[in-house]
Amino acid sequence: MCRWAAYIGAPVFIEDVVTRPDHSLIQQSMQATECKTQTNGDGVGLAWYGDRPEPGLYRDLLPAWSDPNLRSLTAQVKSPLFLAHVRASTGTATSRNNCHPFAVGKWSFMHNGQIGGFETFRRHADMLIPDALYGDRKGATDSEVLFLLGLTEGMDDTPKEAMEIAVGILQRMSRDRGVTPHMRLAAAFSDGETLYAIRYASDRRAPTVYHRKSDSRSGRAVVSEPLVQAEEGWDEVPPGSFCTFTQDGVTIEDFRPLL
């Protein structure tokens, strides 16, 4: 399992989420409290938006706690919308191409969870990615396949419906060829204007997702775990939810994969 954090709002230094809070993403890479893998040291990544439609992307194999480039970058870059991820591999290789977030065009995507038995049907899942997008399949993770299937199914126009189709496809494949749990999913993704998040599981153990509005920073953080553990005001996203975060607020809808 992995840990991630995202932000949308007035521009802030990325370090305000990734390194400075007492339970920052770097701290969670060493000592997470709400997932079965306490240490998340199999790589780190950032995707951030600025003046161009496509996100900037930084990914590396170093654990977040020992990556000096990460600390320097987050201390210097300000952004109104960014995604950050620390990885704990669930079976695929520790490589830069397997680090989150993934990016295609204006879209960025990151994931915490698992698709049960994915290695047994990975080839079949890859075959569902059309030629136009297959060149963007750089790594070997189930997360990247989920992202590319979401794009295939119309993420540009209807993000929620596209992900309901994509998640449904992979959950069915796991049910037919894989093992339980068939789907555990906490994902965040963005087109550079809106931040989306999903919390879902095929059983009753959906990975955690929280969000909190900061009036002092005029923005909202969306995270796997609260960045300040003793701080009030963190709202837990209910399981089976699709969240849409904008500069103006949040909308939470039911998320129902097409099975």
Side-chain angles (χ1 to χ4, degrees):
M1 307 295 274
C2 309
R3 301 285 83 181
W4 56 255
Y7 171 86
I8 184 170
V12 298
F13 287 109
I14 298 176
E15 69 176 0
D16 288 352
V17 170
V18 174
T19 67
R20 295 185 65 185
D22 66 4
H23 196 57
S24 69
L25 203 59
I26 283 188
Q27 179 63 29
Q28 292 176 36
S29 72
M30 295 183 285
Q31 193 173 16
T33 61
E34 297 195 32
C35 66
K36 64 182 182 181
T37 52
Q38 185 180 53
T39 303
N40 298 272
D42 293 326
V44 62
L46 301 171
W48 69 94
Y49 293 88
D51 294 331
R52 295 176 174 172
E54 301 80 9
L57 195 63
Y58 173 80
R59 301 186 295 176
D60 211 338
L61 302 181
L62 288 173
W65 64 80
S66 63
D67 187 341
N69 293 322
L70 177 69
R71 290 185 180 273
S72 178
L73 182 68
T74 60
Q76 294 296 327
V77 174
K78 260 187 173 181
S79 172
L81 201 169
F82 57 85
L83 288 68
H85 188 277
V86 291
R87 183 172 184 249
S89 172
T90 55
T92 51
T94 302
S95 72
R96 186 175 285 108
N97 283 338
N98 286 338
C99 291
H100 308 221
F102 306 101
V104 175
K106 67 181 180 179
W107 287 97
S108 57
F109 179 95
M110 62 186 178
H111 170 232
N112 167 43
Q114 63 193 102
I115 302 170
F118 178 75
E119 66 280 358
T120 66
F121 57 86
R122 185 173 70 187
R123 181 174 68 86
H124 298 277
D126 278 3
M127 290 174 64
L128 299 177
I129 302 170
D131 290 345
L133 283 172
Y134 197 76
D136 294 300
R137 173 68 159 143
K138 306 295 186 182
T141 65
D142 52 2
S143 306
E144 189 178 36
V145 171
L146 177 58
F147 175 36
L148 294 174
L149 288 181
L151 291 172
T152 300
E153 298 298 336
M155 190 183 288
D156 279 327
D157 298 318
T158 54
K160 176 177 176 288
E161 290 78 5
M163 291 304 296
E164 286 177 328
I165 295 171
V167 171
I169 289 170
L170 293 176
Q171 184 171 324
R172 289 196 305 271
M173 295 183 83
S174 174
R175 184 184 60 201
D176 295 341
R177 300 171 180 267
V179 298
T180 57
H182 296 308
M183 181 68 66
R184 289 182 182 164
L185 170 67
F189 56 104
S190 180
D191 60 359
E193 297 182 0
T194 304
L195 175 64
Y196 303 97
I198 303 169
R199 185 185 182 197
Y200 171 79
S202 57
D203 58 12
R204 296 185 178 182
R205 300 183 63 184
T208 53
V209 178
Y210 297 86
H211 66 98
R212 183 181 187 276
K213 179 126 181 350
S214 171
D215 293 327
S216 61
R217 290 188 173 90
S218 298
R220 186 179 299 270
V222 186
V223 300
S224 295
E225 299 182 13
L227 301 175
V228 181
Q229 290 183 306
E231 188 176 42
E232 296 181 354
W234 289 98
D235 295 321
E236 184 173 2
V237 172
S241 294
F242 184 92
C243 307
T244 303
F245 300 97
T246 67
Q247 299 282 355
D248 298 323
V250 56
T251 301
I252 299 179
E253 305 171 82
D254 289 343
F255 183 77
R256 297 174 180 170
L258 299 181
L259 300 174

